[in-house]
Amino acid sequence: MNIIFISSNAERARKLTLTRPLIILLLGIFSIIVVIVALGLNFVSLRYADKIDAPLLRAVLVNPQEEKHQKIQAHLQDNLNIMASKLGHMQAQLIRLDALGERLAETSGIKSRDFLFKEAPGQGGPKSGLDFSADQLTVGEFDDMIQELSSMLDERADKLGALDSLLRYGRITKFVLPSEMPVETGWYSSGFGYRIDPFTGKKAFHEGVDFAAKTGTPIKASASGVVIYSDRHPEYGNMVEIDHGDDLVSRYAHASKRIVKLGEVVLQGQKIAEVGSTGRSTGPHLHFEIRHKDKPQNPAKFLKKPS
C-alpha cells in the first residue's frame, strides 16, 4: 500500500510505502495502546470511583462498573432469598416432625425423657488432623446439600405420618371392635352354635350368645358405632343393632326397653337398652350377636370377659 502526501509548500510529493510487516507492526502497537488505555480506565474507575465528580466522566467510567456490581449483588440476593425460603420450609418440616415424634412417643408409651425432640442430639469426637481449609463449600454445593436435606425431611415426614396413622388406627380399632361385655355378667346361659331349641325341642343353630340377667339390667354398647336398627322385631322383640364399620354389626335382642334411636352415634360402654324378655324368649336375658357381612360370628372370639 502506497500513501502519497501532497503539500502546497513543498515542490515534491512524498510517498510512504506500507508493507505487510509494517502494517502488522502498526496494528500490534495500536492494540497494545487500546489495551493499556482500557486497563488504565478500569483501574481509575475502581480506585477513584468515589472521588470522580465530573458527571460525564463518571457516566463513562463508573456507571458500567456499578451496573455490573449491582447485577452481581442482585443475583446473590436472589440466591439468598431462594435458600432462605428453603430453610423456612425445612424449619416448618422440623416443627411438624417434632410434633409427630412426640405424639408417636406418647402413643407407643415411650417416656418423653428418652427422646427430647425439641433439643439437638449430642454429637462429638476427636479433632481431625486433616486440613480441609481448601475444601470450602461453594454456593452451588451448599444449595445441593439443602435440596438433598429437604428431600430427606419430606421422606421422613411421610413415613412418620404413615406410622402415626397406623398407630392411631390401632387405638381407634380398640373402640370400634365389639370387645366389651354388653352386660355385667361372666357366663353364657346359651352359647354360640348348634343347640336344642327351647321351643321346638329340635336341633337348631344359635347365631349368638345369651346372657341371663334380671329385667332392667343395663345393656351397654360393646363398641362405638352408629345405630342402624332400633325397633321391635317379631322374634327378637325389642332389638338394637349397631354398625361398627367394615361390615361389622352387633345385635342386642329381647330388651324390655330401648334407649337409643335410629342414626344415633353411641360410644363403647354407653347404655343403649335394658334387659327384658320380649319376642321369642323364655325369660329375662340378653341375646347378643356379632355379624360380619351379615354372617354370624362367635362373640366369644371378640368379647373380653371380666377377670
Side-chain angles (χ1 to χ4, degrees):
M1 179 182 295
N2 293 323
I3 300 177
I4 300 175
F5 297 94
I6 300 175
S7 175
S8 58
N9 296 327
E11 297 179 355
R12 297 173 56 187
R14 295 183 179 181
K15 183 176 66 173
L16 177 63
T17 302
L18 297 178
T19 62
R20 181 183 296 273
L22 183 59
I23 293 175
I24 295 175
L25 178 62
L26 292 176
L27 290 175
I29 294 173
F30 179 76
S31 300
I32 293 173
I33 293 174
V34 170
V35 171
I36 293 174
V37 171
L39 291 175
L41 292 175
N42 185 62
F43 174 77
V44 171
S45 63
L46 293 176
R47 186 173 182 83
Y48 303 103
D50 56 338
K51 298 179 181 179
I52 297 176
D53 297 328
L56 181 60
L57 187 60
R58 186 176 184 84
V60 173
L61 297 180
V62 180
N63 287 348
Q65 297 295 331
E66 287 184 350
E67 291 179 0
K68 184 178 180 180
H69 180 69
Q70 290 175 358
K71 289 181 180 179
I72 295 174
Q73 290 295 326
H75 180 68
L76 291 175
Q77 188 62 45
D78 291 340
N79 289 336
L80 287 175
N81 291 338
I82 293 173
M83 286 189 286
S85 176
K86 290 181 180 179
L87 286 175
H89 179 64
M90 291 168 62
Q91 287 176 341
Q93 286 178 306
L94 286 175
I95 293 174
R96 179 190 174 196
L97 289 177
D98 286 342
L100 278 175
E102 291 179 355
R103 186 160 60 234
L104 287 174
E106 180 182 358
T107 303
S108 59
I110 299 176
K111 297 179 180 179
S112 59
R113 64 174 178 268
D114 295 334
F115 290 92
L116 301 177
F117 292 97
K118 295 184 179 180
E119 297 182 9
Q123 295 180 340
K127 183 178 180 181
S128 176
L130 299 177
D131 183 14
F132 294 101
S133 59
D135 298 332
Q136 301 295 332
L137 284 176
T138 64
V139 175
E141 291 173 341
F142 183 64
D143 183 68
D144 292 339
M145 292 179 64
I146 290 181
Q147 189 66 34
E148 182 180 359
L149 183 57
S150 178
S151 300
M152 292 174 62
L153 286 174
D154 287 333
E155 180 185 3
R156 299 296 190 278
D158 292 339
K159 290 181 178 179
L160 283 176
L163 181 58
D164 180 54
S165 299
L166 288 174
L167 288 175
R168 284 194 291 175
Y169 175 78
R171 295 180 65 186
I172 293 173
T173 303
K174 295 180 181 179
F175 297 99
V176 299
L177 193 68
S179 57
E180 294 297 322
M181 293 288 288
V183 291
E184 294 182 357
T185 182
W187 61 283
Y188 306 140
S189 59
S190 182
F192 177 84
Y194 286 98
R195 66 170 185 174
I196 301 298
D197 189 285
F199 289 93
T200 64
K202 296 181 181 180
K203 186 178 180 181
F205 189 82
H206 191 219
E207 297 184 346
V209 293
D210 293 337
F211 297 99
K214 294 181 180 180
T215 300
T217 301
I219 300 174
K220 300 179 181 179
S222 183
S224 302
V226 180
V227 178
I228 59 174
Y229 189 96
S230 180
D231 206 344
R232 191 172 182 89
H233 189 276
E235 294 187 352
Y236 287 103
N238 285 323
M239 184 179 74
V240 175
E241 283 187 344
I242 300 176
D243 186 355
H244 307 290
D246 292 332
D247 298 318
L248 199 63
V249 175
S250 60
R251 177 178 292 176
Y252 312 79
H254 306 307
S256 61
K257 181 181 179 181
R258 290 176 283 105
I259 296 176
V260 294
K261 298 179 180 180
L262 181 66
E264 186 174 344
V265 177
V266 296
L267 301 178
Q268 187 178 54
Q270 179 180 337
K271 183 179 178 180
I272 59 173
E274 293 179 358
V275 172
S277 184
T278 57
R280 193 170 182 266
S281 170
T282 60
H285 74 285
L286 168 65
H287 174 81
F288 178 71
E289 292 182 16
I290 295 178
R291 308 182 74 89
H292 182 251
K293 294 183 179 180
D294 203 30
K295 293 182 179 180
Q297 307 293 321
N298 189 353
K301 296 180 180 180
F302 295 85
L303 295 177
K304 297 179 180 178
K305 290 187 178 181
S307 55

